Amino acid sequence: MSRDIPQLVVNDRVFRPFIDADEIAEMVDSIATRINADYAAEEITALIILKGSVIFAADLVRRLRMPVRMEFTRASSYGTSMTSSGAIALEGLFTDVADRHVVIIEDIVDSGTTITELRKHLSVLQPRSLTVAALLSKPAMHQEPVTIDYLGRAIGPEFVVGYGLDYAEYGRHLDGIWVLDDESETLA
Ligand code: IMP
Ligand code: MG
């Protein structure tokens, strides 16, 4: 059946447009404006969660006006390629946190486990402040209350790819965000 909206195949599934590049740029602008206002001339450490946050972080840090240190850590959840399991592995956890303003940069908050675990690990290292900037959040999926200090926007419990977000490692390079099109049949 032909439809007016464009479709995109990533791996074996069909996606449709969800948030375009212009709208993403506005979301990133808005987050940067809030961080710039809150920290003014204070130095911050941007802690970027690999891999999904790399593209969002690259755009966000270039809009920040204070001195910024960039650090990276890897968080992976044990789950399928579309659901997180609630258990995460932190690799190369960054520990130079004491007395620093740390802003965790996350692409999307789903169950909230990644952020909750990271906050737990980092807060015992006595940062001067610890906040979270996330481009997207799925409130319906949060397993417990999650504080997101700087949020782009909330979305439903749907699965999205693009702008750093992957489906089984594909789709990260797309400049817009696409949502799984449930009405389309899974490709054989
Ligand atoms: P959480 O620990 O359940 O909050 O999972 C957060 C991580 O799961 C994110 O950093 C993403 O890597 C991944 N994730 C959650 N939802 C999506 C999605 O819709 N598309 C792609 N990755 C997602
Ligand atoms: Mg991922």
Side-chain angles (χ1 to χ4, degrees):
M1 195 176 83
S2 78
R3 307 196 311 179
D4 294 341
I5 53 166
Q7 293 186 319
L8 178 75
V9 175
V10 178
N11 287 335
D12 54 354
R13 301 300 292 267
V14 178
F15 291 79
R16 60 186 154 77
F18 188 51
I19 307 175
D20 69 24
D22 289 344
E23 198 184 332
I24 294 170
E26 282 172 27
M27 290 157 61
V28 178
D29 271 340
S30 156
I31 293 170
T33 300
R34 285 176 272 156
I35 295 175
N36 283 328
D38 286 356
Y39 293 91
E42 300 261 25
E43 175 179 305
I44 69 162
T45 297
L47 181 57
I48 296 150
I49 312 305
L50 299 171
K51 303 176 188 173
S53 305
V54 161
I55 293 176
F56 167 45
D59 282 345
L60 180 63
V61 296
R62 284 179 288 175
R63 290 163 160 91
L64 298 180
R65 298 292 163 251
M66 73 290 282
V68 176
R69 292 157 51 98
M70 292 170 71
E71 299 291 349
F72 299 85
T73 194
R74 176 98 198 260
S76 22
S77 73
Y78 303 99
T80 69
S81 45
M82 284 199 184
T83 57
S84 50
S85 68
I88 60 155
L90 296 172
E91 271 171 61
L93 183 64
F94 169 71
T95 54
D96 183 11
V97 165
D99 212 29
R100 296 190 183 281
H101 291 296
V102 177
V103 182
I104 297 171
I105 304 198
E106 176 64 309
D107 50 0
I108 187 166
V109 178
D110 186 12
S111 68
T113 308
T114 303
I115 289 304
T116 302
E117 288 293 305
L118 260 177
R119 269 191 194 275
K120 245 186 252 170
H121 281 83
L122 294 171
S123 55
V124 297
L125 301 171
Q126 302 195 304
R128 194 147 159 215
S129 68
L130 182 58
T131 54
V132 173
L135 186 69
L136 300 172
S137 174
K138 303 180 189 177
M141 300 298 285
H142 294 181
Q143 295 301 301
E144 52 193 313
V146 201
T147 304
I148 305 171
D149 304 273
Y150 307 101
L151 177 63
R153 67 173 259 198
I155 64 170
E158 50 235 324
F159 188 80
V160 292
V161 296
Y163 199 68
L165 293 154
D166 72 302
Y167 167 39
E169 295 301 329
Y170 289 92
R172 295 192 199 275
H173 69 289
L174 300 165
D175 72 346
I177 293 173
W178 298 67
V179 64
L180 182 67
D181 193 343
D182 278 329
E183 283 160 33
S184 297
E185 311 222 333
T186 303
L187 303 181

